[in-house]
Amino acid sequence: MHISPVLWQFLVKWLNASALFPREASTIAPYADALYFFLLLITVVGLTVVGTLVFGFAIRYRKEKHPVATQVEGSTLLEATWTIIPLALFLICFVWGALLYFRIYNPPTNAMNIYVVGKQWMWKAEHQGGQHEINALHVPIGRPVQLTMISQDVFHSFSVPDFRIKREVIPGRYSTVWFQATTPGTYHLFCTQYCGTNHSQMIGEVTAMTPDDFQKWLQASTSGMSLAQNGERLFASMGCNACHNGTASARGPNLSGVYGSKLQLTNGSEVLVNDAYLRDAILNPSEHITAGYSPIMPTYQGQVSEDGLIDLVEYIKGLQSNYRIQQTLVTSQADQTAPTTPTGVKP
């Protein structure tokens, strides 16, 4: 459906100025609005046609004009018309909506990834560089941003009306959505799934910035360690390097370069190693036993927070060699075997 650009801009600005419609602040917003207005248009047209026919027939065939009822024979052409036209409109809406759905939920390969953890009653955003935000999210304009989201407790729903995005945030499972902001500014963030007593207070702000301003914000907000670096420390402290070190005698599978590959499991199935698989393999290792290895890995269910799982996943995703794993393993073994002084302090 083609709409004059001038008419479209007038309509959108009028709706925004009258506070009847949120702003269009992402690349997907015009496509979502076009479908919405098309649905609104056919609804109004259909209501007008049906209402006019009902009103007209009520007058034309009223009792005073036709005291004796007469049989009105059907029309094949008429029946075909009122069947084919609505069917065609429904098919147009279905195909249009399906294309829009895939556009929204299939992020570009170059999208910047940000993790979002929902919990009663707050949003926590974690950037790959280690920046953390509570009920706030800073993003650059002109660059696709993918949100990888999970809930720590109950069902939530991440919604930014000005970007026309809304995605359920589910306990125990990652969900993703992406957008590309087009206009610098501050936009409302809501939870649109009732999640308990203070659901209405689970709000925040998304700040879209120019690329230069975003880089300045990243530098000023860094915690000193990236998610992958935090994951490396957690990996070593939990003793994961004792089994997953890439050596010939290792009791666990090699994790170097495993992300994005396909693994053969002992049950004969093949799985793609992605974020969801890594998370589940840490929490439920007995369900994901790699072919050729014994089921000796303990579960870490309840021992690692969602933030810690994100750090571990980011670390494993970036592993391209086992050098640092083996180095940390040697260091930890040296610490354990080092002699102590009479005061109990290692020299």
Side-chain angles (χ1 to χ4, degrees):
M1 180 181 178
H2 179 74
I3 302 177
S4 166
V6 176
L7 179 60
W8 177 264
Q9 289 299 321
F10 170 78
L11 179 62
V12 170
K13 289 182 179 179
W14 178 78
L15 288 171
N16 289 338
S18 58
L20 295 176
F21 213 67
R23 292 171 288 177
E24 289 184 345
S26 72
T27 53
I28 201 67
Y31 297 97
D33 291 350
L35 176 58
Y36 175 80
F37 286 127
F38 178 73
L39 291 171
L40 187 62
L41 175 64
I42 62 175
T43 301
V44 172
V45 171
L47 179 63
T48 302
V49 171
V50 172
T52 301
L53 291 175
V54 170
F55 184 74
F57 289 158
I59 295 176
R60 182 174 180 178
Y61 298 105
R62 65 188 185 276
K63 184 177 180 180
E64 291 80 1
K65 193 171 183 178
H66 295 276
V68 179
T70 57
Q71 178 67 28
V72 178
E73 296 297 331
S75 169
T76 303
L77 177 62
L78 182 61
E79 292 179 3
T81 300
W82 72 43
T83 300
I84 294 174
I85 291 179
L87 176 62
L89 290 173
F90 292 152
L91 288 176
I92 290 172
C93 293
F94 171 77
V95 173
W96 194 344
L99 293 175
L100 184 59
Y101 177 88
F102 288 118
R103 180 189 290 265
I104 292 175
Y105 294 114
N106 288 314
T109 55
N110 63 336
M112 178 180 70
N113 189 45
I114 300 175
Y115 291 94
V116 175
V117 178
K119 61 182 74 174
Q120 294 176 316
W121 288 271
M122 56 175 281
W123 297 106
K124 183 177 182 180
E126 302 188 20
H127 298 254
Q128 291 179 321
Q131 298 82 4
H132 299 276
E133 305 183 72
I134 302 296
N135 292 333
L137 177 63
H138 287 74
V139 297
I141 64 171
R143 181 178 178 183
V145 176
Q146 173 181 308
L147 302 180
T148 301
M149 304 178 292
I150 195 167
S151 171
Q152 193 165 298
D153 37 48
V154 299
F155 278 73
H156 301 284
S157 185
F158 187 95
S159 174
V160 184
D162 293 312
F163 293 166
R164 308 297 190 271
I165 61 168
K166 177 183 179 297
R167 188 64 161 167
E168 304 310 308
V169 182
I170 305 170
R173 181 172 49 165
Y174 288 126
S175 58
T176 61
V177 70
W178 79 278
F179 60 87
Q180 182 172 317
T182 56
T183 308
T186 302
Y187 306 97
H188 293 296
L189 163 63
F190 299 99
C191 175
T192 53
Q193 173 73 44
Y194 181 73
C195 55
T197 308
N198 295 328
H199 161 68
S200 61
Q201 298 178 23
M202 194 169 174
I203 56 178
E205 292 182 341
V206 178
T207 303
M209 316 170 74
T210 63
D212 290 340
D213 288 340
F214 180 69
Q215 287 301 320
K216 293 177 182 177
W217 177 84
L218 286 178
Q219 294 171 4
S221 305
T222 180
S223 62
M225 297 187 67
S226 67
L227 297 183
Q229 289 172 325
N230 288 329
E232 182 179 28
R233 294 180 59 183
L234 187 58
F235 189 86
S237 66
M238 293 169 60
C240 305
N241 52 7
C243 295
H244 301 283
N245 51 47
T247 61
S249 59
R251 293 176 294 174
N254 184 7
L255 300 180
S256 174
V258 71
Y259 186 80
S261 65
K262 290 187 176 180
L263 279 183
Q264 189 80 24
L265 303 184
T266 53
N267 59 10
S269 64
E270 196 174 57
V271 295
L272 175 65
V273 180
N274 53 19
D275 295 43
Y277 173 81
L278 290 175
R279 180 187 180 278
D280 202 37
I282 295 170
L283 298 180
N284 304 292
S286 61
E287 298 179 8
H288 307 278
I289 304 171
T290 304
Y293 292 91
S294 302
I296 60 174
M297 179 175 170
T299 177
Y300 290 95
Q301 189 84 42
Q303 301 180 47
V304 186
S305 67
E306 286 298 341
D307 296 338
L309 289 169
I310 289 173
D311 293 340
L312 286 170
V313 168
E314 272 298 299
Y315 172 59
I316 297 172
K317 285 168 64 174
L319 270 179
Q320 297 302 321
S321 74
N322 292 299
Y323 174 75
R324 286 188 60 83
I325 294 180
Q326 294 169 3
Q327 288 296 105
T328 56
L329 179 61
V330 170
T331 302
S332 60
Q333 289 175 343
D335 289 342
Q336 292 173 3
T337 58
T340 58
T341 65
T343 58
V345 179
K346 293 179 181 181

